[in-house]
Amino acid sequence: MSAPVLTTPAPDAVVPGRPTVGQRLTSFMPVIALVVLLAALTVADPGFLTLSSLTAAVRTSAPLVVLAAGATLVVLCGGIDLSIAALCSLATVFFALWLPDLGGLTTFAIIAATGAIGALQGVAHVLFRIPSFIVTLGGMSIFSAIALVISDAGPVRVVDRDATNWLTLYVGGVVPMAFVVALVLVAAVSLVLRLTPLESWIRATGYSESAARLAGAPVDRVKIAAFTVSGACAGLAAVMLVSRNFSGSPTMADNLLLPAVAAIVVGGTAITGGHGSLWRSLAGALVVTLLRVGLPIVGVPSAYEQILYGAIIVAAVALTLDRSKVLIIK
Amino acid sequence: MTTTSPADADREVVHAGRPRPRRGISLSDAGPPIALVVIFGVFAVLSPDFRTVSNVQNVLDAAAVLAVVTCGISFVLMMGSIDLSAPGIMGASAIAVALLVANNRNDNDFGLFGVAVAVLLGAALGCLSGLALVVLKVPSFMTTLGVSAVGLGVATLMFAGVQPNVTDPMLEGWAVERFLGLAHLTWIAVACVLVGALVQRYSRLGRYAFAIGGAEEVLGLSGVRVAPYKVAVFTMAGAFYGLAGVLVTSQLGAGLVQAGRGYDFSAITAAVVGGTLLSGGRGGILHSVVGVLLVTVLTNGLVQVGVSPYWQGGVQGLIVVAAVAAAVLPQRRRNQVTK
């Protein structure tokens, strides 16, 4: 009945020494990229470095930051979540449909619902031992289908704008509320990870799952939790999108998958798991947003945006991959 | 974990990592065809429209493009890799072929030569993912996700805001003209399946693709240089996607950037449902063809029974997760790592 699953021989124990110059450089890569991009854009268009355009850029980046931050947890565990964008689209439809009944509670209901859906994917991944990208790829098409069916494949208008109005405010008149929420989210999750054993559990799971399991870390529960947070973040990102677009649509966030994955890997989180952080994804998301906003400023047609995403994903993964861990790249 | 199939009953000491040579037909080989027959029978009972000859023709014609894509992806899955690049490559080749044959955008009229160029473009993009995998050592689902984006970008560049409508009679005829009751497209797909099956069975490329999926370390230790074969497999897959893009253009009569939307997932679904293991080393083109027919019959049948076509992707998502779970569960070990 069973075909063999060959286990890769365990690599020799790598004792972490002092980081090499290359490692130091890659660890600062997102910040360097961010500064270089800002400088380049300012040279190309001196008007770019003004408060209003920076505010606008930061405001656009908020949903991307939230999506990427959530999925970073899954990547840190060594998996991948390809369903975030589709789940986010589904959540925008839910939001538009639920708002008349639930009113002010809709935001929490959405986050709870998407968190539960994320948990479901995590359970499927852990319980049935299905590779995470297959579970989430399957999830992606299931969520898209549900969104299409319940919305009749068209946008659903949100008439009551009060429920999302708070996200469009500006803190101190300058910083967009949506971005503040994204920052608070990243800070809060990072803090929780730091103050609890969660961070070491997640890292251990990512660096070596079998070792973590043998050492007694609750690997399965940690993974499910990561998927739950990833799902909940997709819900929060959906609320942000609705606050800007005043509608829910079954394809609204679909084009955010690639930028979100790009943000994670550009930030320097290793796709092999273990190494990385949410702050890195924040920087990565800002880099991606600047690229997106900046390309037209420099005069590059937006069609190159896709090509650029493809190139930076591959390049960033190549730079950050933990080669000591994977003997055979599939 | 003990397995209780009759074939394994005589060895119960350890879960050794080597399969015994199979005698007869195992359940996992016979399962998909049986499922196909059962599903076909159920829909035939449920819907009078489903059991007509013309609907069977429709099913076969509708399966053509997916069959070509699945031919390509099967080789990649056999190696244990994954390929998400079909939408990008198909989009690029769809626009390329629409611009190279007679169309409303320019004066090109290259006919079959244009088709060949589009297929070559697909092969080149596939080669790119293979090279990124082998040279940069980036996991294939990342390289192919990247290449898909690159392909969509290239397609958008060539699209340039004006949709190229095909006026070439040959390309338009492929989707319309019939031979023995089936559209020419379907016969092209049948040819692709035959070529794929021959490559898989008789060429070094096909056999090594299997071996890479089964035990790459062993192959490397035996002195086989694995890398060129990996690149070659991705290149061949790219060529199949390129051809699929051409077929979609023929069906639509126009080049669209979204020509390949969703085909990556449908093809993975078809291959997995047909019995190809995602961990590699099992399955094959003929398995995948059964999977393609299963997926297409399911899609067609559900619509005939009155289910909204929007559910199509959701159903595929469910069956792929279920099929992978069914394939993986028997081999589950206590401390197994699933990424």
Side-chain angles (χ1 to χ4, degrees), chain A residues 100-118:
Chain A
D101 295 332
L102 295 177
L105 289 175
T106 319
T107 305
F108 301 104
I110 289 292
I111 293 175
T114 52
I117 294 174

Side-chain angles (χ1 to χ4, degrees), chain A residues 127-165:
Chain A
L127 207 61
F128 300 120
R129 309 288 170 106
I130 313 172
S132 56
F133 77 89
I134 280 294
V135 174
T136 53
L137 205 61
M140 180 164 118
S141 56
I142 295 172
F143 305 149
S144 292
I146 297 175
L148 280 172
V149 171
I150 62 174
S151 70
D152 261 337
V156 185
R157 276 189 60 209
V158 173
V159 189
D160 174 20
R161 296 185 178 182
D162 295 338
T164 56
N165 198 34

Side-chain angles (χ1 to χ4, degrees), chain B residues 107-280:
Chain B
D107 298 330
N108 288 342
D109 186 9
F110 293 114
L112 269 181
F113 179 70
V115 173
V117 171
V119 173
L120 280 180
L121 175 68
L125 285 169
C127 183
L128 205 62
S129 15
L131 283 177
L133 167 74
V134 165
V135 177
L136 298 176
K137 304 247 190 296
V138 176
S140 57
F141 80 91
M142 273 289 157
T143 64
T144 51
L145 201 62
V147 165
S148 185
V150 170
L152 286 178
V154 170
T156 315
L157 278 183
M158 290 190 291
F159 188 78
V162 186
Q163 176 173 310
N165 291 325
V166 174
T167 52
D168 185 278
M170 174 201 70
L171 198 59
E172 284 188 312
W174 281 4
V176 187
E177 286 164 27
R178 291 179 172 270
F179 174 70
L180 295 182
L182 296 176
H184 286 186
L185 283 187
T186 314
W187 290 109
I188 294 175
V190 170
C192 281
V193 169
L194 282 180
V195 168
L198 289 177
V199 167
Q200 178 202 329
R201 185 83 182 80
Y202 294 107
S203 80
R204 190 176 289 183
L205 184 63
R207 289 170 165 269
Y208 277 5
F210 251 120
I212 290 173
E216 190 174 337
E217 309 93 325
V218 178
L219 206 60
L221 291 172
S222 317
V224 176
R225 290 185 58 224
V226 176
Y229 289 99
K230 284 188 160 183
V231 178
V233 164
F234 274 95
T235 311
M236 185 171 64
F240 275 117
Y241 306 151
L243 183 60
V246 172
L247 300 188
V248 172
T249 309
S250 158
Q251 281 178 339
L252 299 175
L256 287 182
V257 177
Q258 301 88 355
R261 196 185 154 94
Y263 273 109
D264 55 342
F265 189 64
S266 304
I268 293 175
T269 309
V272 167
V273 169
T276 299
L277 277 192
L278 284 177
S279 47

Side-chain angles (χ1 to χ4, degrees), chain A residues 1-9 77-80 82 124-135 137-146 148-149 152-153 205-211 213-214 223 251 254 257-258 261 265 271-273 301 303-304 306-311 313-315 317-318 321 323 325 328-330, chain B residues 3 5 7-8 11 15 17-19 22 27-28 79-82 84 132-133 136-143 145-150 152-154 156-157 212-218 230 261 265 268 277-279 282 308 310-318 320-321 324-325 328-339:
Chain A
M1 279 299 284
S2 60
V5 175
L6 283 176
T7 46
T8 44
C77 289
I80 184 99
L82 296 175
H125 165 56
V126 166
L127 207 61
F128 300 120
R129 309 288 170 106
I130 313 172
S132 56
F133 77 89
I134 280 294
V135 174
L137 205 61
M140 180 164 118
S141 56
I142 295 172
F143 305 149
S144 292
I146 297 175
L148 280 172
V149 171
D152 261 337
T205 306
Y207 277 127
S208 173
E209 191 180 317
S210 35
R213 210 182 284 272
L214 293 174
K223 281 182 163 183
T251 53
D254 284 4
L257 173 62
L258 224 50
V261 174
V265 294
I271 205 75
T272 37
Y304 284 99
Q306 287 279 342
I307 300 181
L308 204 66
Y309 283 150
I313 283 184
V314 174
V317 171
L321 199 65
R323 283 177 220 284
K325 193 155 56 182
I328 287 174
I329 313 279
K330 284 293 185 189
Chain B
T3 43
S5 82
D8 292 354
R11 38 151 211 156
H15 191 91
R18 187 165 286 274
R22 261 176 267 275
L27 185 65
S28 58
M79 291 200 306
S81 298
I82 193 89
L84 303 175
L133 167 74
L136 298 176
K137 304 247 190 296
V138 176
S140 57
F141 80 91
M142 273 289 157
T143 64
L145 201 62
V147 165
S148 185
V150 170
L152 286 178
V154 170
T156 315
L157 278 183
I212 290 173
E216 190 174 337
E217 309 93 325
V218 178
K230 284 188 160 183
R261 196 185 154 94
F265 189 64
I268 293 175
L277 277 192
L278 284 177
S279 47
R282 270 211 54 154
S308 158
Y310 298 137
W311 281 118
Q312 190 180 322
V315 172
Q316 284 180 10
L318 278 179
V320 80
V321 171
V324 172
V328 172
L329 271 182
Q331 330 174 344
R332 185 158 78 148
R333 285 168 295 127
R334 199 180 72 79
N335 197 14
Q336 185 183 348
V337 175
T338 320
K339 286 294 180 186

